[in-house]
């Protein structure tokens, strides 16, 4: 790999090297299509993956001059990793297609047995190589989709330009937008014009009375509900309901508009890619409040976001709060790392879609059991869109004094009247608290079985039955420092030093002396990309490098 020297920020030469190895890989794969059925299946899987890689690399090459240096550096790092993996996979395939000795080729039965033996020996290595390539693709997805935030028409042109596949067949070349539909989903969510179809929100809202036709049950330790509806054809639809309380009521129309906007942006078919559920629409009451009519004696109006159950999952999901409170710690660290990586990915995509979440906590995270090989055994999805807003929208600076929320808020955002406007770094801080709980596999909060009141568990240094003022005083004055103490001094023995350092980065991301996130002026770019790039570099990529 000596060709890589000096290519740190020179993306085109690195991309060309990746494409070179990819062409070799495709040619080798063509020679194995008639091999043993199991080998052939693996080869087709490799070939399909490479087609996606080619679309991404060709697009990246076309728009690389629009990418800022920090983002370019991340791409340089990830492309070098891809090159090393391509070299390994190419070597494995080469060994499979290497000619057998002449004496074996003369005897057909010996030749068949020899090739079968070679396949058996190499299958394990091939599976691992394919898995690593697919992991690489999942890792780069976040940097890839962040490119869709670049506000330049050259991005749209590159998406529509046919990809130079250097194909070894006669199939017509498609463009990136066609080959990777999720790209259009993200791009459309950032555009206000009709470049990617109508921006109409027709069909995204429906009468909330439709919810009465569903059988609804609450997810334990969560504000989320699961709904089932029996249709006339005998099919059962399963949905996830996320209620939004419109406070203040005077902002109902604005909150409704933001909810429709979020629903439009989440009209995707890739929940496992984004860690965000696909949205069916927003249930709204037929009679909507009129400005000035709402008073304190009237219940605030409600909206309900309706999400589809993710494919390849089964059963009723649990909240992460329930999992941490009621399941034994996993025997290995693999599941904890999976949880952490999936949750960090979800937070990244909330930002990519142009929102801040404002409610990241275990009650807002659903854990589904996966049914498809190639997916984690348990899949996490971030929900709980109660207080979300657009990144460029106004913040109301409204809060509350509840323990189950304040624990996950930075001290500047605690209480009924937070001191600072909400930015993405506040979501990163909340993520840090969740990663801390995942690392210990302990819930920091328990719920009283009769009253449902949130109470601190023994890990927090307050009375198990405290006065609410006592708890809030602790959280506001010493809460963050205590969580940092746990991350620095106790977490490493559970999860290792590198995981603990990532948690510390999240918990200190709003500190002025934090070298990664502290200077807010560094992130005041027009497209809102810089903070996302820094988050991918300092949190997502570092988490993805952890393994057991």
């Amino acid at each position: 790999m000596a060709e890589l020297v000096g290519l740190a920020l020179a993306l085109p030469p690195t991309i060309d090297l990746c494409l070179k190895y990819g062409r070799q890989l495709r040619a080798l794969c063509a020679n194995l299509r008639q091999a043993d059925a199991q080998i052939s299946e693996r080869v087709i899987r490799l070939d399909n993956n490479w087609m996606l890689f080619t679309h991404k690399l060709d697009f990246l090459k076309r728009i690389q001059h629009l990418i800022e240096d920090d983002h370019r550096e991340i791409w340089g790092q990830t492309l070098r990793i891809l090159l090393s993996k391509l070299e390994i996979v190419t070597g494995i395939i080469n060994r499979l297609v290497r000619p057998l000795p002449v004496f074996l080729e003369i005897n057909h039965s010996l030749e068949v047995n020899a090739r079968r033996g070679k396949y058996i020996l190499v299958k394990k290595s091939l599976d691992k190589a394919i898995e690593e390539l697919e992991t690489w693709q999942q890792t780069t997805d976040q940097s890839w989709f962040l490119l869709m935030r670049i506000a330049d028409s050259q991005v749209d042109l590159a998406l529509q330009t046919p990809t130079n596949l250097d194909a070894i067949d006669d199939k017509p070349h498609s463009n990136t937008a066609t080959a990777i539909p999720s790209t259009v989903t993200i791009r459309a969510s950032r555009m206000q014009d009709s470049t990617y179809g109508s921006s109409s929100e027709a069909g995204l809202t429906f009468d909330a009375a439709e919810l009465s036709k569903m059988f609804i049950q609450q997810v334990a330790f969560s504000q989320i509900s699961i709904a089932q509806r029996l249709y006339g054809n005998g099919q059962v639809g399963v949905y996830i309901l996320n209620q939004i309380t419109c406070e203040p009521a005077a902002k109902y129309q604005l909150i409704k508009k933001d909810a429709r906007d979020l629903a439009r942006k989440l009209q995707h078919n890739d929940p496992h890619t984004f860690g965000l559920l696909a949205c069916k629409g927003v249930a709204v009451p037929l009679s909507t409040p009129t400005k000035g009519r709402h008073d304190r004696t009237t219940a605030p109006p409600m909206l309900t976001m309706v999400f589809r159950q993710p494919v390849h999952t089964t059963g009723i999901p649990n909240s992460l709060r329930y999992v941490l409170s009621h399941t034994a710690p996993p025997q290995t660290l693999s599941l904890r790392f999976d949880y952490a990586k999936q949750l960090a990915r979800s937070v990244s995509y909330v930002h990519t879609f142009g929102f801040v979440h404002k409610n990241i906590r275990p009650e807002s995270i659903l854990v589904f059991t996966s049914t498809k090989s190639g997916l984690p055994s348990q899949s996490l999805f971030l929900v709980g869109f109660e207080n979300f807003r657009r990144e460029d929208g106004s913040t109301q600076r409204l809060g509350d004094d509840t323990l189950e929320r304040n624990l996950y808020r930075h001290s500047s955002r605690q209480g009924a009247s937070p001191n600072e406007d909400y930015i993405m770094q506040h979501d990163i801080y909340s993520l840090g608290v969740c990663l801390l709980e995942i690392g210990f596999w302990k819930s920091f909060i328990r719920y009283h079985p009769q009253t449902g009141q949130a109470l601190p568990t023994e890990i927090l240094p307050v009375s198990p039955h405290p006065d609410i003022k006592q708890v809030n005083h602790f959280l506001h004055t010493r809460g963050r420092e205590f969580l940092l103490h746990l991350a620095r001094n106790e977490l490493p023995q559970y999860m290792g030093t590198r995981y603990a350092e990532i948690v510390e980065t999240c918990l200190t991301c709003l500190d002025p002396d934090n070298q990664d996130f502290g200077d807010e002026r560094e992130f005041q770019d027009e497209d809102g990309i810089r903070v996302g790039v820094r988050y991918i570099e300092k949190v997502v990529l570092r988490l993805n490098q952890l393994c057991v």
Side-chain angles (χ1 to χ4, degrees):
M1 306 296 285
E3 297 169 274
L4 297 178
V5 177
L7 297 182
L9 295 179
L11 291 186
T14 314
I15 292 171
D16 288 339
L17 277 174
C18 289
L19 291 171
K20 171 186 170 183
Y21 275 100
R23 285 191 291 270
Q24 293 177 10
L25 182 60
R26 286 207 80 201
L28 290 169
C29 286
N31 294 327
L32 280 174
R33 286 187 178 275
Q34 304 304 319
D36 166 90
Q38 292 184 356
I39 291 293
S40 179
E41 179 184 337
R42 289 163 169 80
V43 167
I44 292 172
R45 187 171 156 196
L46 264 178
D47 198 30
N48 289 337
N49 278 329
W50 178 247
M51 295 291 283
L52 289 178
F53 292 167
T54 304
H55 281 289
K56 288 185 176 183
L57 293 173
D58 186 75
F59 173 82
L60 184 62
K61 191 174 180 180
R62 293 178 191 274
I63 60 107
Q64 56 85 26
H65 59 286
L66 302 175
I67 305 173
E68 292 195 356
D69 285 348
D70 284 353
H71 203 179
R72 181 187 297 267
E73 185 174 346
I74 287 180
W75 272 109
Q77 295 171 9
T78 54
L79 288 174
R80 290 194 294 277
I81 294 172
L82 173 62
L83 275 171
S84 65
K85 294 184 183 301
L86 286 173
E87 188 177 46
I88 293 170
V89 175
T90 303
I92 292 172
I93 301 292
N94 249 322
R95 290 195 294 275
L96 274 176
V97 300
R98 189 177 299 156
L100 292 172
V102 175
F103 77 91
L104 289 177
E105 293 182 352
I106 295 173
N107 188 315
H108 180 69
S109 61
L110 287 176
E111 177 189 0
V112 171
N113 288 334
R115 290 195 182 277
R116 184 178 293 120
K118 183 191 287 189
Y119 293 159
I120 291 172
L121 288 173
V122 83
K123 275 178 187 175
K124 189 173 182 181
S125 297
L126 190 56
D127 284 341
K128 182 172 178 56
I130 293 172
E131 181 182 343
E132 287 186 353
L133 276 176
E134 291 177 344
T135 299
W136 178 88
Q137 178 159 291
Q138 293 165 8
T139 300
T140 59
D141 273 347
Q142 287 155 85
S143 291
W144 163 255
F145 287 119
L146 203 56
L147 295 172
M148 299 305 114
R149 291 183 62 122
I150 298 175
D152 193 298
S153 60
Q154 294 178 72
V155 173
D156 305 295
L157 179 62
L159 285 172
Q160 302 297 332
T161 301
T163 299
N164 179 18
L165 293 176
D166 289 320
I168 56 179
D169 51 35
D170 296 325
K171 293 180 181 178
H173 295 179
S174 62
N175 56 38
T176 304
T178 303
I180 311 176
S182 299
T183 300
V184 176
T185 302
I186 296 285
R187 187 66 178 167
S189 75
R190 302 296 300 168
M191 305 297 290
Q192 298 300 318
D193 57 27
S194 58
T195 304
Y196 296 95
S198 173
S199 60
S200 170
E201 294 173 348
L204 287 178
T205 58
F206 53 90
D207 184 3
E210 291 294 310
L211 300 180
S212 65
K213 301 175 183 178
M214 300 180 180
F215 171 73
I216 299 174
Q217 60 185 113
Q218 195 83 12
V219 175
F221 303 136
S222 176
Q223 68 276 31
I224 303 301
S225 299
I226 301 298
Q228 294 179 314
R229 180 172 182 177
L230 179 63
Y231 291 99
N233 58 8
Q235 292 187 336
V236 177
V238 181
Y239 304 99
I240 292 87
L241 307 184
N242 184 150
Q243 283 195 330
I244 301 170
T245 303
C246 299
E247 292 184 305
K251 297 290 183 179
Y252 173 80
Q253 294 299 334
L254 176 62
I255 296 171
K256 179 180 171 182
K257 180 178 182 298
D258 281 352
R260 285 201 307 261
D261 189 32
L262 179 60
R264 175 176 59 83
K265 293 179 178 183
L266 295 181
Q267 296 283 301
H268 61 77
N269 295 314
D270 297 295
H272 292 281
T273 294
F274 300 128
L276 301 172
L277 299 174
C279 190
K280 178 178 174 64
V282 183
V284 300
L286 278 182
S287 58
T288 57
T290 303
K291 186 175 180 180
R293 289 187 180 179
H294 184 81
D295 58 46
R296 294 189 178 185
T297 63
T298 307
M302 305 288 291
L303 303 173
T304 302
M305 297 198 71
V306 181
F307 296 97
R308 296 181 175 88
Q309 182 180 17
V311 295
H312 309 308
T313 62
T314 185
I316 302 298
N318 289 313
S319 67
L320 179 60
R321 177 71 69 203
Y322 179 89
V323 172
L324 294 175
S325 302
H326 290 77
T327 63
Q331 294 298 311
T332 69
L333 297 181
S334 298
L335 186 62
R336 302 187 204 200
F337 285 154
D338 277 347
Y339 274 26
K341 293 172 185 178
Q342 291 183 62
L343 181 54
R345 173 201 60 190
S346 300
V347 173
S348 178
Y349 283 124
V350 167
H351 170 73
T352 301
F353 277 108
F355 283 84
V356 286
H357 191 279
K358 302 178 67 175
N359 188 34
I360 297 172
R361 55 196 180 101
E363 287 84 352
S364 299
I365 301 160
L366 295 183
V367 182
F368 286 83
T369 298
S370 302
T371 59
K372 183 181 178 181
S373 61
L375 292 176
S377 61
Q378 297 182 27
S379 296
L380 268 65
F381 296 92
L382 183 59
V383 285
F385 295 96
E386 297 177 1
N387 304 304
F388 71 94
R389 66 167 175 80
R390 294 164 54 110
E391 284 178 327
D392 55 358
S394 60
T395 179
Q396 302 298 320
R397 289 202 183 182
L398 296 176
D400 53 58
D401 287 323
T402 59
L403 168 62
E404 66 271 25
R405 298 176 187 271
N406 266 346
L407 177 61
Y408 301 91
R409 294 169 177 157
H410 187 268
S411 57
S412 63
R413 289 290 307 180
Q414 290 178 8
S417 301
N419 297 325
E420 295 182 2
D421 290 346
Y422 204 99
I423 56 178
M424 184 189 180
Q425 287 90 316
H426 289 105
D427 276 346
I428 298 173
Y429 177 88
S430 302
L431 169 68
V433 184
C434 293
L435 294 183
L436 197 58
E437 289 182 285
I438 291 171
F440 288 121
W441 205 263
K442 291 181 180 178
S443 174
F444 292 175
I445 288 174
R446 63 185 179 88
Y447 286 94
H448 192 282
Q450 277 77 47
T451 65
Q453 179 187 3
L455 299 168
T457 58
E458 70 282 353
I459 201 167
L460 296 179
V462 293
S463 166
H465 300 285
D467 178 85
I468 188 64
K469 291 183 178 179
Q470 175 192 356
V471 176
N472 286 330
H473 177 74
F474 164 75
L475 292 177
H476 190 72
T477 58
R478 295 190 295 120
R480 191 184 72 94
E481 285 69 24
F482 176 73
L483 296 176
L484 273 173
H485 165 78
L486 292 178
R488 290 167 175 166
N489 299 293
E490 298 187 29
L491 187 60
Q493 62 185 303
Y494 288 84
M495 298 293 289
T497 301
R498 289 193 295 167
Y499 182 93
E501 288 173 346
I502 297 169
V503 174
E504 182 177 347
T505 295
C506 294
L507 294 176
T508 60
C509 68
L510 286 152
D511 292 4
D513 58 351
N514 181 294
Q515 295 182 355
D516 299 325
F517 294 98
D519 189 351
E520 189 177 340
R521 293 171 298 179
E522 293 184 17
F523 308 118
Q524 293 176 349
D525 59 317
E526 182 178 350
D527 300 330
I529 292 177
R530 292 176 189 166
V531 66
V533 169
R534 192 67 56 87
Y535 172 74
I536 291 171
E537 177 187 7
K538 300 301 180 181
V539 178
V540 176
L541 291 181
R542 289 166 68 191
L543 278 173
N544 286 331
Q545 290 168 0
L546 299 179
C547 59
V548 181

